[in-house]
Amino acid sequence: MITILLFACTNKESKPQEETVQEQTQADKNLNGFWVGDFVAEETKDGSEFVTTNKLNIAIKSIINDTVSAQSIVAGNKRPLSGKINRRNGKTTFNLAEPGDDKYDGTFEFELVGDSLIGFWKAYNTNLPVTKRSFKLVRKEFSYNPNLMLSSEGDYTDYVDSKSKTELDTLEDGKVEEYTDDYYRQASESVYTLNSSTKLLTEKELKNLKKLDLEILRNTIFARHGYTFKKKSFRQFFDPVEWYVPVSDNIDGELTAVEKTNIKLLTRFEKYATDNYDTFGR
């Protein structure tokens, strides 16, 4: 009789503990997926304010007990992340680290606040141009959609690869003053009117386009597949785009037959195309 009572008490006490584990596991599963947002420079080696804000994706793959497996995807780098999740006093915090065998590796510390992950990244290498970045990430779904287009309201001026030109200006008093002006490439409306993923482009459509037009049309194909761009000159056009989610550093196996054909044609035209440089206010 005593044995039966003890057995019943043990069962009664263990049941709510099992339910707590199940609820916690489901809560952890709800954190899996892509978390995307701006990766903003906070500390730079030389104190420069002119540093690019990149788009960061922290992909949480699994949470088992307090161990987290994830990836960081930003600026052409896809790096494994591992570490711990802590749940204390109603807060959920993460401490994750990249391996350290890449010069851009570092550590991530962030907290779940509402429906966002908010925190900081710190570089292992203190000699990098940027040694600390902040971020606020929200959940993003990703699926390939060939119909996604760049907005007609976007700024398609290439501020990264500019040219400087020194000129002379004669003042009212007759003195000649020397000054330097910056000249930039600017794309045409073709980058948001031509779809390089859904139809075969023709030589007639491309022959009068600028080199920058051709580059953007080609790389919009990669952006639709979630390619993470290493070149800053391409990131400046795609990181601000709402639908763009960087998920992979190799999408060769995902390209459609139409896209492969268009990439070859666009690349061929890029070799011989030129660009006009002009001054544009930022």
Side-chain angles (χ1 to χ4, degrees):
M1 187 67 177
I2 295 174
T3 304
I4 293 174
L5 287 172
L6 287 174
F7 179 77
C9 290
T10 303
N11 251 2
K12 189 174 180 180
E13 290 176 358
S14 64
K15 187 174 181 181
Q17 292 178 0
E18 290 174 359
E19 288 177 351
T20 301
V21 171
Q22 290 173 354
E23 289 171 2
Q24 183 172 307
T25 301
Q26 185 57 50
D28 290 342
K29 287 181 179 179
N30 292 339
L31 292 172
N32 289 353
F34 298 137
W35 295 81
V36 182
D38 289 339
F39 204 32
V40 183
E42 295 291 341
E43 294 179 4
T44 59
K45 185 181 178 183
D46 58 2
S48 174
E49 296 180 1
F50 301 101
V51 179
T52 303
T53 295
N54 300 320
K55 180 171 276 190
L56 168 68
N57 179 3
I58 291 183
I60 298 178
K61 300 166 71 175
S62 68
I63 302 174
I64 301 176
N65 295 325
D66 64 347
T67 300
V68 182
S69 175
Q71 286 181 325
S72 63
I73 306 164
V74 60
N77 277 349
K78 184 177 181 181
R79 304 292 295 152
L81 272 177
S82 61
K84 299 294 183 181
I85 181 173
N86 300 291
R87 309 171 192 85
R88 293 191 183 92
N89 302 320
K91 291 184 177 181
T92 301
T93 59
F94 295 78
N95 290 273
L96 306 182
E98 293 165 322
D101 55 357
D102 183 280
K103 70 176 181 178
Y104 293 109
D105 279 357
T107 59
F108 289 82
E109 294 185 9
F110 51 92
E111 180 181 350
L112 178 65
V113 181
D115 59 356
S116 303
L117 297 180
I118 301 175
F120 293 92
W121 166 87
K122 292 183 180 180
Y124 294 131
N125 183 357
T126 57
N127 290 319
L128 290 180
V130 181
T131 54
K132 182 179 180 181
R133 288 183 181 266
S134 64
F135 53 87
K136 180 179 180 180
L137 312 179
V138 296
R139 283 288 294 269
K140 286 274 190 178
E141 299 296 329
F142 171 80
S143 61
Y144 167 69
N145 183 349
N147 296 306
L148 294 172
M149 297 290 287
L150 295 180
S151 171
S152 60
E153 298 179 358
D155 184 0
Y156 304 111
T157 303
D158 182 4
Y159 294 111
V160 174
D161 294 328
S162 62
K163 287 186 176 181
S164 296
K165 184 178 179 182
T166 301
E167 299 180 305
L168 301 177
D169 185 26
T170 302
L171 305 180
E172 293 181 359
D173 59 4
K175 293 182 179 179
V176 177
E177 186 178 73
E178 184 178 273
Y179 69 96
T180 300
D181 210 344
D182 292 324
Y183 287 76
Y184 306 93
R185 304 189 297 167
Q186 189 173 52
S188 73
E189 64 178 16
S190 64
V191 299
Y192 53 81
T193 57
L194 293 178
N195 189 320
S196 46
S197 289
T198 58
K199 63 180 287 289
L200 290 173
L201 301 175
T202 65
E203 293 189 3
K204 183 179 179 180
E205 289 174 312
L206 303 184
K207 67 178 183 180
N208 293 320
L209 296 187
K210 305 171 186 177
K211 185 174 183 179
L212 182 58
D213 295 334
L214 301 168
E215 291 174 347
I216 293 177
L217 285 171
R218 176 171 56 85
N219 283 284
T220 302
I221 294 174
F222 300 134
R224 293 186 183 107
H225 285 279
Y227 180 73
T228 176
F229 294 97
K230 190 172 288 290
K231 288 187 176 181
K232 188 187 299 184
S233 55
F234 297 144
R235 294 201 305 272
Q236 68 180 319
F237 300 118
F238 298 106
D239 276 1
V241 177
E242 178 65 23
W243 55 257
Y244 170 62
V245 179
V247 298
S248 179
D249 56 0
N250 187 344
I251 49 87
D252 290 345
E254 307 297 326
L255 298 173
T256 67
V258 169
E259 290 171 333
K260 289 178 181 178
T261 300
N262 283 337
I263 288 171
K264 288 180 181 179
L265 183 63
L266 288 162
T267 302
R268 177 158 63 87
F269 270 76
E270 283 177 41
K271 292 179 181 180
Y272 305 103
T274 58
D275 279 306
N276 296 324
Y277 285 77
D278 207 341
T279 54
F280 301 96
R282 297 196 68 171

